[in-house]
Amino acid sequence: MLRILVSIALISTLVHTTSSSSYSPATQKSINTYKKFIKDECNSTTYPNFCYNYLSHYAWQVKTNRVTLTKVAVNITVMIAKSSFRTLTKLSQSTRLTKAESSVLADCRDNIDDTVDRLQQSAKQLARLNGTRTVEERFEWDSIKTWMSAAITDEYTCTDGIGEMKVRVSLQKKIQSSIANVAWMNSNALALVNKISY
């Protein structure tokens, strides 16, 4: 989790780090307002606490802008998906794996690799949008929803496959934990996309 949070801090196109200790009372009041906005938005997602725990770090950048919030959420999901892929790669390099376990990990790595591609495509498309209600933007929002929905399918295809193979419980938990982080944030980000895509 720490590695993910460090990675998220590198979303330089959206985030400029500011120490909260330097905030004036007036500024802190504004941040509290922005955090309330984020909390309210997250309450409409599938995993509201998970959503808020990640996105509240970017209150000063998001302010009360739904499009910016959604862009941050999608970029964070990309970072988490990349972290999951690295975890699966590391697990797959173990010399103690059975044939079934190697097969499950290979399939999961392929699924999450596809997830990363779809999410990066979504983030790239989203970067050009500003929430205007044009026919062109509506088409692009629909494309983003399609890609992100497909990414969720990829994620659950991995976890569904685990139950069909003989995989050690300890390994199952590691895989499922890694995938869950991606799936939860992906679901939350998609919910935010749906809120502003008419």
Side-chain angles (χ1 to χ4, degrees):
M1 183 66 73
L2 178 59
R3 182 181 297 176
I4 294 173
L5 291 175
V6 172
S7 297
I8 292 169
L10 299 178
I11 308 174
S12 58
T13 57
L14 293 170
V15 176
H16 299 285
T17 304
T18 306
S19 172
S20 60
S21 63
S22 64
Y23 294 148
S24 67
T27 301
Q28 186 61 54
K29 183 177 180 180
S30 295
I31 291 176
N32 291 339
T33 298
Y34 303 152
K35 284 187 175 182
K36 184 181 184 304
F37 165 77
I38 293 172
K39 190 171 185 62
D40 289 344
E41 293 296 302
C42 282
N43 281 340
S44 66
T45 66
T46 315
Y47 307 97
N49 291 335
F50 193 80
C51 174
Y52 180 76
N53 287 342
Y54 275 100
L55 298 182
S56 60
H57 295 287
Y58 304 97
W60 187 246
Q61 291 73 37
V62 169
K63 295 182 170 59
T64 57
N65 188 307
R66 280 184 173 175
V67 176
T68 301
L69 178 66
T70 304
K71 289 179 179 181
V72 171
V74 173
N75 276 278
I76 288 174
T77 309
V78 172
M79 293 294 185
I80 295 175
K82 288 181 176 180
S83 177
S84 177
F85 183 80
R86 289 193 297 269
T87 296
L88 294 172
T89 298
K90 185 176 180 180
L91 290 172
S92 69
Q93 293 169 346
S94 171
T95 58
R96 299 176 56 242
L97 298 175
T98 65
K99 185 176 180 179
E101 290 169 346
S102 293
S103 176
V104 166
L105 281 166
D107 288 344
C108 283
R109 285 181 73 247
D110 287 343
N111 292 142
I112 297 305
D113 193 29
D114 287 342
T115 288
V116 171
D117 287 342
R118 297 183 201 280
L119 290 173
Q120 286 180 321
Q121 195 172 13
S122 299
K124 182 178 180 181
Q125 189 95 329
L126 190 55
R128 300 195 295 266
L129 304 182
N130 56 23
T132 57
R133 293 177 179 272
T134 63
V135 174
E136 293 78 9
E137 274 221 0
R138 183 169 185 174
F139 175 78
E140 292 185 80
W141 282 109
D142 286 344
S143 296
I144 291 168
K145 286 192 287 186
T146 298
W147 295 327
M148 293 186 70
S149 295
I152 291 175
T153 299
D154 288 331
E155 293 145 19
Y156 284 109
T157 297
C158 166
T159 54
D160 289 344
I162 294 174
E164 299 170 0
M165 305 286 280
K166 291 184 178 180
V167 179
R168 280 169 293 156
V169 173
S170 60
L171 182 58
Q172 283 186 31
K173 289 181 178 179
K174 290 177 182 177
I175 296 172
Q176 290 169 338
S177 175
S178 176
I179 301 300
N181 285 334
V182 187
W184 293 349
M185 196 63 206
N186 194 350
S187 177
N188 288 340
L190 179 57
L192 295 175
V193 167
N194 285 331
K195 285 192 70 172
I196 55 176
S197 59
Y198 327 128

